[in-house]
Amino acid sequence: MKISDIKIFVTCPGRNFVTVKVITDNGLFGLGDATLNGREMAVVAYLQEHVAPCLIGKDAHAIEDIWQYLYKGVYWRKGAVNMAAIAGIDMALWDIKGKVAGLPVYQLLGGKSRKSVGLYAHASGDDIADTLLKAEALMAQGFKAIRLQSAVPGLKVTYGVLGDKENYYELQGNRPLPPEEDWSTPKYFNMVVELFKQAREKLGNDVQLLHDVHSRLTPIESARLGKLLEPYNLLFLEDASIAENQDSYKTIRQHTTTPLAIGETYNTIWDCKDLIQNQLIDYIRTAATHAGGITSLKRIADFAGIYNVKTAPHGAPDLSPICFAAHMHLNAWAPNFGIQEFVGFGTQEAQQIFTHDIQVKDGAAFVSDKPGLGVDFNEDAAALYPYKRSYLPVSRLEDGTLWNW
Ligand code: KDG
Ligand code: MG
């Protein structure tokens, strides 16, 4: 079974998605997600010009060899563009293998380790009261784990909070240049500790609470935040600090028992190797789309399991339902699965383009039993929503210094 064609689609049903379709000479096809938010067309060009021509004629069953060919074989390893391209191909090949076997991908990985996949939803509000009202509404829908984000008084915009924007916070489709946002660590500290204090008072102790710092703090500031949040028993504190120096998490770890999660921007196992083997984190959040697909995430999950680190895959709206489906198969299998981030399946238009039978009930999701990944892609519907240039925001301190967004 040889690869006979590779097609790349970019569609913007509310936000941009890059979809890879690998076609075989026996008439099968597989789908993969290669979306890199704000840099979509770099991946498209890389796939069209540098990847697709090399794969035509190769054995579509040789997933591992193709992964190595695109990683070791290009000399220029790693990198977000490269790894998103590998991810798109890798997911599509797992999809094909499942279709050939007549089995869902989780069966190829080793079978199910659980009946359902626990999810965490997002409650984001314009102030603490608003955030907690939204959290209560999610609890009423059955969610048992909720990420709380709230606007920081005194800042014009806060990460994770919609404000007056109609669409999800990262979508900048009508503004073709990156918007700038301000940041103040002291103002944030005043809000965030109070948010979790009031959350426990109002929501009780049974719900799991999470928070994403989005890398705005230095390691010692993260250590202090972790300590201040200890009484409120978070499931995890996400991306407290950037960990380009993986050792810097020792500072945070030494000071707090608040569980730590990181990894959504990571592209390879090497980005999290030291964090995992030194047990400096509790959850690894790497996404299949950004880190080389199912093949890489399986490797990371197995490695993490040795060190009691659980998986908690990234589930932001800039990952397409194909990535979510790939995560669902990994989550169903991984013995050390922790929790899956979930923000719905996108706009009505997106749901017409990406169709699947993943069920969500009482804060848990149920993996598809269809052969392969279990997602279909409607090419005609996708063509109605062409690519729109779009950027993530950049962040600056109040004195103008560029900061981590
Ligand atoms: O493209 C960036 C988003 O995926 C990111 O900001 C979302 O941090 C995020 C999260 O935890 O979902
Ligand atoms: Mg995050």
Side-chain angles (χ1 to χ4, degrees):
M1 184 180 61
K2 295 201 183 325
I3 297 175
S4 56
D5 197 5
I6 296 178
K7 292 194 167 124
I8 318 298
F9 301 88
V10 195
T11 180
C12 187
R15 66 171 320 115
N16 293 311
F17 293 116
V18 178
T19 302
V20 178
K21 181 173 183 180
V22 176
I23 301 163
T24 60
D25 59 1
N26 60 350
L28 288 175
F29 69 88
L31 298 169
D33 179 28
T35 308
L36 185 60
N37 197 5
R39 295 292 184 272
E40 296 87 355
M41 298 313 276
V43 185
V44 172
Y46 187 79
L47 278 162
Q48 280 173 341
E49 188 59 29
H50 304 294
V51 173
C54 308
L55 299 187
I56 305 301
K58 285 200 181 294
D59 176 8
H61 270 309
I63 299 178
E64 186 66 48
D65 186 66
I66 289 177
W67 194 99
Q68 300 292 341
Y69 180 82
L70 294 175
Y71 183 78
K72 287 185 189 152
V74 296
Y75 187 61
W76 313 109
R77 298 177 185 217
K78 308 185 194 176
V81 172
N82 183 28
M83 298 312 289
I86 295 180
I89 300 289
D90 183 83
M91 283 182 217
L93 294 178
W94 279 98
D95 194 19
I96 291 170
K97 199 183 275 299
K99 287 175 179 169
V100 171
L103 292 170
V105 167
Y106 71 79
Q107 293 291 17
L108 308 180
L109 297 172
K112 272 189 195 175
S113 299
R114 58 193 52 78
K115 291 187 212 122
S116 65
V117 164
L119 304 171
Y120 74 90
H122 289 193
S124 309
D126 293 334
D127 55 33
I128 292 177
D130 186 30
T131 301
L132 299 185
L133 275 178
K134 288 181 174 149
E136 282 180 322
L138 289 166
M139 287 165 71
Q141 288 171 41
F143 285 99
K144 294 163 186 68
I146 303 175
R147 185 186 96 160
L148 302 180
Q149 309 290 138
S150 199
V152 175
L155 297 185
K156 285 193 270 315
V157 195
T158 304
Y159 162 78
V161 178
L162 270 172
D164 57 5
K165 281 187 253 111
E166 199 183 309
N167 287 307
Y168 205 83
Y169 52 92
E170 290 100 352
L171 181 67
Q172 308 297 338
N174 298 322
R175 287 183 282 174
L177 293 176
E180 302 216 346
E181 298 179 355
D182 51 352
W183 177 254
S184 156
T185 297
K187 287 178 180 157
Y188 166 72
F189 262 86
N190 290 340
M191 180 283 293
V192 71
V193 180
E194 188 59 26
L195 169 65
F196 282 89
K197 179 171 174 283
Q198 291 188 29
R200 281 298 173 212
E201 283 163 9
K202 191 151 191 207
L203 307 178
N205 290 325
D206 290 340
V207 62
Q208 305 267 26
L209 299 179
L210 306 90
H211 180 67
D212 189 351
V213 183
H214 226 255
S215 310
R216 302 296 162 84
L217 302 179
T218 64
I220 196 66
E221 288 165 350
S222 294
R224 180 163 161 256
L225 180 60
K227 221 170 174 172
L228 290 169
L229 293 179
E230 272 172 28
Y232 313 116
N233 189 23
L234 269 63
L235 181 73
F236 62 62
L237 184 64
E238 178 192 340
D239 283 352
S241 298
I242 288 282
E244 279 158 340
N245 297 315
Q246 295 183 39
D247 253 13
S248 68
Y249 262 57
K250 282 186 186 154
T251 305
I252 312 174
R253 202 58 156 175
Q254 276 158 7
H255 291 284
T256 180
T257 57
T258 293
L260 303 171
I262 198 167
E264 68 183 36
T265 62
Y266 291 171
N267 309 129
T268 70
I269 197 166
W270 307 106
D271 297 331
C272 50
K273 177 180 80 69
D274 299 348
L275 288 164
I276 291 173
Q277 71 184 5
N278 295 323
Q279 299 183 58
L280 300 178
I281 56 169
D282 302 280
Y283 292 86
I284 180 69
R285 291 192 21 82
T286 316
T289 299
H290 298 139
I294 293 172
T295 300
S296 312
L297 251 66
K298 184 178 190 318
R299 204 163 279 143
I300 291 174
D302 273 335
F303 178 64
I306 300 171
Y307 299 99
N308 292 316
V309 174
K310 292 183 183 173
T311 61
H314 189 202
D318 47 294
L319 298 157
S320 93
I322 301 172
C323 176
F324 192 82
H327 288 170
M328 283 299 296
H329 290 279
L330 286 153
N331 297 338
W333 152 76
N336 54 327
F337 167 70
I339 197 159
Q340 170 67 56
E341 182 180 22
F342 178 66
V343 293
F345 294 113
T347 58
Q348 289 299 320
E349 294 85 347
Q351 292 181 43
Q352 279 156 17
I353 296 171
F354 300 97
T355 52
H356 55 81
D357 65 353
I358 299 169
Q359 302 294 318
V360 173
K361 196 168 173 270
D362 287 338
F366 296 82
V367 67
S368 173
D369 282 316
K370 286 188 182 163
L373 291 174
V375 184
D376 278 325
F377 179 70
N378 183 331
E379 293 177 31
D380 294 335
L384 299 176
Y385 307 102
Y387 166 74
K388 279 190 195 164
R389 186 158 55 118
S390 170
Y391 291 98
L392 287 165
V394 298
S395 189
R396 288 186 189 276
L397 301 182
E398 288 172 300
D399 69 357
T401 308
L402 200 94
W403 200 239
N404 310 319
W405 181 75

